[in-house]
Each structure stands twice: as structure tokens, then as C-alpha cells.
Amino acid sequence: MKTTVSRRNFIKGGLAGTVAVTALKESSSQAATFEGYPDGMGVLVDLTRCVGCRSCEAACNQEQKLPPPEKPFDDFSVFDEMMHGQKRRTDETHYTVVNRYDVPGLEHPLFRKIQCNHCQEPACLTSCFVNAYTKTPEGAVIYNPNVCVGCRTCMIACPFYIPTFKYSSAFNPRIMKCIFCYDTRLKDGKPPACVEACPQEALTFGKRNDLIKIGRQRMVETPGKYEDHIYGEHEVGGTAWMYLSSVPFDKVGLDTHLPKEPILNFVKDFLGIVPMVLTIWPALFAGFHLLATRKDWLKNKNDDAHEEE
Amino acid sequence: MRFFSHQRPEIPIVDHIKPDGSQWTIKEKLWLGLSSGDYFKQFFRNPVNWLMIAIFVIGVPLIAQRYIYGLDAVTHGSDDYPWGLFLGFGLFGMVPLSASGFMLGTTCELFGRKDFHPIERLALLNGLLGYFFAVLFLEVDLGMWWRLPYPMFVSLGPAAVLFLVAWHVATYLSVQIAEVLPAFFEWIGWLKGKRVIRKMVLGLTIAGIILSTLHQGALGALFTYAPGKVHPLWFSSNFQWIHFFCSSIFAGLSMVIVSSTLIRNFAGWRCDDHFKNSLDDITVKLGKGCSLAMITYLVIKIVAVAHDQEWDYLLTGWGSYYMLELGIGVILPMFMFAFGVRNNSAGLVRFAAWIAVFGIIWNRLNTALVCFNWQLYQEIPHWKEVWITITIYSLYFLTYRFIVYRLPIVYEWKGEK
């Protein structure tokens, strides 16, 4: 068939098409409908498989070049440590921590690893006023210490109490948190160090969308073994790290009262009034001023008129 | 000072020109017209100054310790409690108490209420210093304090509430400096500067209203990032910013009542008759504003409880504490203001203002510290943290007094204006 498209028209059409595609693309990626990067990675933590060996803690410490711990990683007395009536938490030398939970009616304890859950719409990121946090398309929430001011609002905002601050440093403080081994592994498609170190396959690395399917599949394959909920699928708008458990999640120290929407949604009521105040207030109050001082103005005008006469 | 002003009719200084016809130099104005010997004599006779010295002797090394060894050395700031007294009191407490600047600016300049004129400059100064020292408190608390301009110029996160606070507090500080400058220009005798500001005053005032509405509200909105951490009674996604903004209205007015009372009682030599004679009347009028703002605040507080269905919480221990805060911090002073206004009793209004100031600090500390992490544990600030807070507050007091003693804030400049 003979071609009827001239070269010039072809280029024109091509350009127009590119513009149209770009425009469409932009309009379809509005922040309001953002549900996370489609190919974002995640980890599924199966609490029924974890034996509390702390290999993940050791691997993390090595990978992230954190200082050596006070007690070695094969010392299990740390599970009894309590601070302010709380079990161990992440701090400036531990990006991940395993805790033991003795659940009544269960003959063996359960162990739960905690680290940054890498939210789909992270509270730390949305609360940061210097853009120190980034959610990468690979799924990690990473932190840039070079712009951080140290206001610690991210620590206030994080619903999981994950970011920690180097309070001990006067000249080089920074936020310390799990970054999904982004620099050294995740950006090359490799699983984080803790996942690789796990001898029990309690941690499954994969695309977040696939992990949800895997979690559901396990529930179907072994009826009654798991709670009918993947913790992190919807919590605070969804997280990249998710949990499966055989007992209710509050029994293993996970907050079950978290909202199912991103933390940012609680702030939007205020953010919504900002443009209104900025645009309406000037006119409104200038109007009030004119109304309130109208009598003076009239008086001045009359006085001037009399003087002219 | 009272002692000298009896002996020497030319002080306190209210004019550029001495009785003998020569000019006061800036240096003489700074020394309040006294010889340095006399100045220190009156300085050390004042027991308040000895208290200040005692606070600074311990406080300054503690501040040095904070900058050399880090926040860990002086605070109980932790991963669970990132914010302590520096922000809980210094930022969240000082800023509402400094709303006086925009309140009285609006009343005088925008609504043309000339009857409030004698207290306008004091209110503006109270606002300016409150904000300045809130920033100073922030500078003690920030981990990387040397990066304070980063949110403005280096790395911008405009979608964050704190971004708005940073920009607004910074712009509002400049607005307030401009509003207080005319007093300074009169004092140094540079009238051209004063005329320039005079032309901008309506713009500055409206800018003040916008910026204040937003950043007073934004300080409240900061806590909406922590829906699960702040106790539900002190948390309201919808109303938090209105609570903070509305309470800042009576907080600012009460603070200027307290401050004018202190100045009239302890620096009476500096006030002119116009200020002294109109103060009772103005105080009662301000009290009226306070009681109206308080009833509004109270209603919105109750609406928030109703909106979020939190009545059950009122029956718990936290609920009792909540009602105690509202009872002592809002309802009690509200009725005292109302009675004071009705009976034209400036004394009662002044007493109510003290309680209201206490109440607002109590509310901010409750939101930021006491009721924060209510399901975890309560943190008690390190004594050094308390001491540093008092030290910086003392510096605020000294700066405040230094300016009031000199610039035409509570007296009218007799020279060219």
C-alpha cells in the first residue's frame, strides 16, 4: 500500500502525539490519587516462621556500618530488656530490632522484627520542611542528612516510632533510620541485608503487589493458621513492609488502632485553609478598615471642602 | 531609677535636648542619662538583677554544654519524645503569648480604635520579642541549628506545615521589626525612616493578620501529624488549628495586660501620665476582648469533643485532667474577665490575665508533652533543660526591660516626631 503520510505531517503528528501523551500522563499522576509506585518492592514478614535468632539485626549492623552492639547478637537476654516499661526499639545504633512476645495460650513465644515499614505515603516525608526524605520508585524511604535541620518533626509524625536522632552528637547529628539498604542493594534490585540473612525464610522480598497475593495465598493454603489480615496492606495508607501473624497483631506489639489512611489526611483540613486565608484575608480586612474608618474619612473630606470654600 | 528621677528633673530622658540646650548623645541615652557609676549602683540595688545573675551563672555554662556535647547532655529528648521544654514552652508557649502585636495592631490601625493607642507599642514590642525569643528557643533545640535558613533557601519542602511556620514566623518577624522601628527612629531622631514606615502601616497590619492566622493555626496543625500519639481530647484533626489560633487571641491580650501591669508597678518612672491614666480603662477593654475570645474558644473545644465522639474519655483520668485544664485555664479566667468588665475592675481583669497566661502555657505543654505518647509513658524534663529554658526566658525579660526603659514604648517622645 502506498504511504499517504508526508514526512512533514509525520513529524507534526508525532510532536502533537508526544505533547498529548505527556499532558495526559501528567493529569493522570495527580498526588490525590497516588497509590504508591506500581513496581515498588516490599518485604512480607511471617511471624509464624521467625525464631528470634537476631541474624537480621547482625546483618543490618554490618551492612549499614553501625557501631558494634553492647551485647553480641547471639545474646538473647536482650529480649528481657525494658526501658520506660517498653520493649527494645530502634535507636541511633539499631535500624532494626527483634522483640519476643509471650502470648497467653501459645506454648512458644512469638518474635517480631521492627524496622522502617517504608510507607506508601510516608508521614516523615510529608512532614519534612526541607525535603530530606524521598520515596524511591523501588519502594524505599531514604533520608538526606545534608539538608536535614534536625527539627525532629518526622519523629513526631512517624506512626511506627521509627526515625531516631543522634542526640549524642553536637556537631554531626542526624536522623538514623532503616533505608531498605537502598544505596548498597535495593537500587540494584537486590534484597536488603536482613532478608538475605534470615535462615527461616521469615522475610520474603518481592514486589509489594505480589507480596499481598502471597500473603493471601498462605492464608488459603493453611486455613486457621493466620489472622485474616495483612498488617501494612492498608495501615496508614499502606506500607512496603507487611506482617502475617497467627495471633492478633496487638499481641505482638503492633498498633492496631492506626488509621487506614495516610497520616497526611489528618493535616489536610489545615492545609486546605491556607489558600483561602492568603487570598481572602487581604481584601476582607482592607474592607473592614475602610468601613471602620469611613466616618473619619467623611469628616476629613467635609473639613477639606469647607476649607476650600 | 526612681531614686535618681526624683533628684534630677532631666531624667528619664524624653527628648533629644537637655535642659541646658545641648543634645543627648546616643551613648547618654543608652546609659539612661546616668553616669556609668550611678547606672551600676541602681543596677545592683535591684534584687531582680541579682536573681538574673544567679540564673545566668549556672545557665550559660549549661547552654555551652549543649553546644559542645549535644542535646543528650542537657535534655531528656529521646526517640519517643523528640520535643521537650525548648519547643513545648519556648515555641508553642511563647508564640501565642506574642499574638498581642497583631491583635493591637489590628485594633488601632485597621479598626481605627485610637483609645487603644497608648498600649499599641507595648503590644507590638511584646509580639516582636516573643517571636524573636521563640526563634532563639528553636535555635537551642534544632540539631543542626546552623542550618536555620535551609527551609527558606536551600532545600524547600513547601507541602509541610512546618514550612509554613518557618516562612511565616520569619516574615512576621520582619513585619514586627518594621512596626516597632518608628519608636526606635523617634529615639535616635531619624524621622525620615518613621515616615516611610508610616506609609506602609496598613499593609504591614494586614500582612500581620494573615501571617498570624496561619502560623498560630499551623503550630496546632503540627500536632495533627500525630493522630495516635496526642491524647484524643487534646487532638482534633478538624479543629486543632482553630483551637490554637483562637486561644492565641486571649493569650496575646492577657500577656500584654500582664506586661503593662508589671511595667506600671515596677517601672512607673518610665511611664508618662497618659499611659498611666488610661491603663485601667484599656485593661478593662482588653479584658472584654479576652472574655469574648475565651467563650468562643470554649465552645470550639466542646464542639471538637462532640465532633469526634470523645465524651467517654471525659470519664477517665485523662478526662478529669482535661476538665481541670479547661476549668482553671479557661472557664475561671473567663468569668473573672466578665465580672471585671462588668464592675469596671481593672484589678480583677489583671488577676484573670495572669491565670489565662498560665492556662495557655499549661495547654501547650499538655499538647506537646504531657498528653503526647499518652499510651506509652510520661517523660519528665531534665533539670538542665528546665534551667536553660529559664535562662533564655530571663534573657527575654532583660531585653524587654532594656528596650522599655529606653525607647518611647510606654511614654510619648517629647522631641520631634
Side-chain angles (χ1 to χ4, degrees):
Chain A
M1 200 172 82
K2 197 183 164 196
T3 172
T4 51
V5 183
S6 74
R7 205 172 80 106
R8 174 172 300 208
N9 278 342
F10 177 76
I11 291 173
K12 265 189 195 163
L15 278 176
T18 314
V19 170
V21 166
T22 321
L24 283 175
K25 219 183 191 175
E26 265 166 14
S27 62
S28 63
S29 64
Q30 283 166 3
T33 53
F34 184 67
E35 285 175 0
Y37 292 107
D39 291 331
M41 306 302 282
V43 173
L44 186 65
V45 185
D46 192 332
L47 297 186
T48 63
R49 297 182 181 181
C50 179
V51 293
C53 68
R54 301 183 68 209
S55 307
C56 50
E57 284 190 42
C60 175
N61 179 280
Q62 201 183 13
E63 179 79 18
Q64 295 298 329
K65 302 190 176 59
L66 295 169
E70 277 175 37
K71 291 181 185 173
F73 286 109
D74 53 9
D75 183 342
F76 300 113
S77 67
V78 294
F79 291 139
D80 299 319
E81 282 177 11
M82 295 292 259
M83 273 281 280
H84 295 291
Q86 311 290 315
K87 288 181 187 290
R88 296 193 307 147
R89 58 155 294 162
T90 55
D91 62 33
E92 58 178 277
T93 55
H94 299 85
Y95 287 173
T96 184
V97 158
V98 178
N99 278 325
R100 188 189 66 211
Y101 294 87
D102 298 303
V103 183
L106 217 64
E107 61 242 34
H108 60 86
L110 284 177
F111 297 91
R112 185 217 61 186
K113 172 185 181 325
I114 184 80
Q115 70 297 309
C116 176
N117 285 326
H118 300 278
C119 302
Q120 298 291 84
E121 206 170 324
C124 54
L125 183 152
T126 46
S127 71
C128 180
F129 73 151
V130 287
N131 255 344
Y133 287 95
T134 311
K135 173 84 177 171
T136 72
E138 297 88 342
V141 178
I142 56 170
Y143 162 81
N144 176 4
N146 297 322
V147 297
C148 176
V149 179
C151 71
R152 313 194 287 287
T153 311
C154 49
M155 297 163 68
I156 295 279
C158 176
F160 300 107
Y161 290 91
I162 293 304
T164 69
F165 188 71
K166 262 178 116 169
Y167 286 99
S168 53
S169 169
F171 301 104
N172 206 15
R174 54 166 290 174
I175 294 286
M176 304 290 278
K177 81 175 256 304
C178 158
I179 53 163
F180 216 146
C181 292
Y182 179 75
D183 296 347
T184 46
R185 293 164 162 272
L186 186 69
K187 70 172 181 209
D188 305 322
K190 285 195 283 182
C194 52
V195 172
E196 212 166 73
C198 181
Q200 290 297 108
E201 294 184 13
L203 310 175
T204 313
F205 173 75
K207 281 186 186 167
R208 182 177 186 270
N209 292 341
D210 298 341
L211 292 176
I212 294 170
K213 287 179 203 140
I214 293 174
R216 293 261 169 254
Q217 202 178 351
R218 283 187 202 170
M219 287 176 193
V220 173
E221 281 167 2
T222 49
K225 186 179 177 188
Y226 294 103
E227 283 286 305
D228 187 18
H229 178 61
I230 303 175
Y231 188 92
E233 185 180 359
H234 299 297
E235 272 75 9
V236 292
T239 56
W241 280 64
M242 292 170 290
Y243 295 83
L244 287 178
S245 168
S246 54
V247 299
F249 287 95
D250 54 350
K251 298 275 189 297
V252 286
L254 290 166
D255 187 350
T256 49
H257 296 291
L258 288 181
K260 296 284 181 278
E261 52 188 328
I263 296 292
L264 183 63
N265 285 9
F266 291 83
V267 191
K268 280 181 177 166
D269 268 0
F270 171 72
L271 294 176
I273 65 133
V274 175
M276 181 192 79
V277 171
L278 281 176
T279 51
I280 298 178
W281 259 221
L284 189 67
F285 282 91
F288 283 155
H289 173 69
L290 293 177
L291 281 175
T293 55
R294 186 173 158 76
K295 276 181 189 164
D296 294 340
W297 179 77
L298 280 176
K299 196 166 162 280
N300 286 341
K301 205 180 149 194
N302 285 338
D303 290 349
D304 290 348
H306 287 304
E307 274 168 29
E308 276 169 31
E309 284 167 18
Chain B
M1 204 50 213
R2 206 179 304 145
F3 175 72
F4 291 106
S5 49
H6 281 306
Q7 285 180 336
R8 296 173 52 191
E10 74 273 23
I11 58 172
I13 298 173
V14 293
D15 201 344
H16 296 299
I17 301 165
K18 293 183 198 174
D20 62 13
S22 61
Q23 290 257 339
W24 287 110
T25 63
I26 294 287
K27 193 179 162 198
E28 283 171 323
K29 283 179 183 167
L30 280 174
W31 287 104
L32 298 170
L34 302 172
S35 69
S36 54
D38 280 349
Y39 185 85
F40 284 114
K41 219 188 280 172
Q42 63 91 25
F43 183 86
F44 289 114
R45 210 174 39 219
N46 187 346
V48 175
N49 292 337
W50 285 102
L51 178 67
M52 292 292 133
I53 291 168
I55 291 171
F56 278 93
V57 163
I58 299 175
V60 172
L62 289 182
I63 293 173
Q65 192 185 5
R66 178 259 173 268
Y67 282 107
I68 297 168
Y69 298 103
L71 282 165
D72 222 9
V74 294
T75 74
H76 276 171
S78 66
D79 297 328
D80 292 332
Y81 279 90
W83 292 346
L85 267 189
F86 299 151
L87 294 189
F89 173 80
L91 184 71
F92 294 108
M94 293 281 279
V95 169
L97 293 180
S98 312
S100 60
F102 101 89
M103 289 305 300
L104 268 296
T106 309
T107 313
C108 293
E109 305 299 337
L110 201 122
F111 290 109
R113 286 289 297 267
K114 298 199 179 75
D115 46 336
F116 285 100
H117 190 69
I119 209 164
E120 187 191 357
R121 279 191 178 168
L122 181 63
L124 292 174
L125 179 72
N126 184 65
L128 170 63
L129 290 179
Y131 276 87
F132 182 78
F133 278 85
V135 175
L136 216 61
F137 271 112
L138 187 68
E139 276 296 75
V140 179
D141 190 71
L142 281 184
M144 292 72 119
W145 49 271
W146 58 90
R147 289 184 184 166
L148 189 69
Y150 270 39
M152 316 283 173
F153 307 112
V154 179
S155 181
L156 280 63
V161 171
L162 200 62
F163 182 81
L164 192 136
V165 176
W167 268 92
H168 284 207
V169 168
T171 359
Y172 190 45
L173 251 182
S174 346
V175 167
Q176 298 205 79
I177 290 172
E179 287 179 324
V180 174
L181 270 179
F184 177 69
F185 289 147
E186 281 176 12
W187 186 72
I188 60 164
W190 192 57
L191 295 177
K192 202 179 157 196
K194 197 188 154 187
R195 280 196 294 272
V196 171
I197 303 265
R198 192 66 231 167
K199 282 182 191 147
M200 312 193 300
V201 78
L202 186 64
L204 290 175
T205 308
I206 292 179
I209 304 172
I210 298 170
L211 297 169
S212 296
T213 315
L214 287 178
H215 72 242
Q216 295 281 3
L219 286 180
L222 272 180
F223 290 101
T224 57
Y225 281 115
K229 296 183 183 178
V230 181
H231 188 281
L233 284 173
W234 280 266
F235 175 87
S236 163
S237 172
N238 308 84
F239 299 104
Q240 196 88 1
W241 76 269
I242 311 183
H243 288 158
F244 270 57
F245 172 64
C246 192
S247 54
S248 79
I249 293 175
F250 63 79
L253 296 180
S254 298
M255 187 63 194
V256 85
I257 295 176
V258 166
S259 154
S260 64
T261 307
L262 289 175
I263 290 170
R264 196 196 58 165
N265 290 352
F266 298 103
W269 58 270
R270 185 66 279 187
C271 313
D272 62 8
D273 292 339
H274 186 44
F275 180 80
K276 278 193 221 166
N277 296 336
S278 56
L279 191 59
D280 280 359
D281 181 45
I282 290 177
T283 304
V284 171
K285 284 178 185 164
L286 291 177
K288 193 174 175 184
C290 286
S291 65
L292 288 172
M294 277 180 149
I295 186 72
T296 316
Y297 175 66
L298 189 65
V299 169
I300 310 169
K301 283 290 260 193
I302 295 170
V303 167
V305 174
H307 181 273
D308 296 344
Q309 295 285 337
E310 290 161 352
W311 300 108
D312 289 354
Y313 284 109
L314 290 178
L315 300 174
T316 63
W318 286 105
S320 310
Y321 186 63
Y322 178 78
M323 290 192 278
L324 189 72
E325 186 208 294
L326 272 191
I328 296 179
V330 183
I331 298 174
L332 175 70
M334 183 179 80
F335 279 110
M336 287 169 70
F337 278 127
F339 281 117
V341 172
R342 205 188 172 97
N343 302 322
N344 204 21
S345 159
L348 190 58
V349 169
R350 292 196 171 104
F351 190 27
W354 279 99
I355 301 175
V357 166
F358 164 78
I360 208 74
I361 295 173
W362 191 17
N363 170 260
R364 298 306 195 257
L365 286 178
N366 279 342
T367 314
L369 281 173
V370 182
C371 310
F372 191 79
N373 285 340
W374 64 290
Q375 283 162 312
L376 289 188
Y377 60 95
Q378 260 54 57
E379 184 65 271
I380 294 155
H382 198 289
W383 72 267
K384 291 179 179 175
E385 193 176 338
V386 178
W387 200 287
I388 289 177
T389 308
I390 295 174
T391 309
I392 294 177
Y393 199 77
S394 306
L395 191 63
Y396 162 77
F397 171 80
L398 288 179
T399 317
Y400 206 140
R401 194 181 64 177
F402 180 88
I403 295 176
V404 167
Y405 273 10
R406 287 161 181 81
L407 299 191
I409 301 290
V410 293
Y411 71 99
E412 276 201 52
W413 193 248
K414 290 277 189 315
E416 273 187 293
K417 283 196 288 187

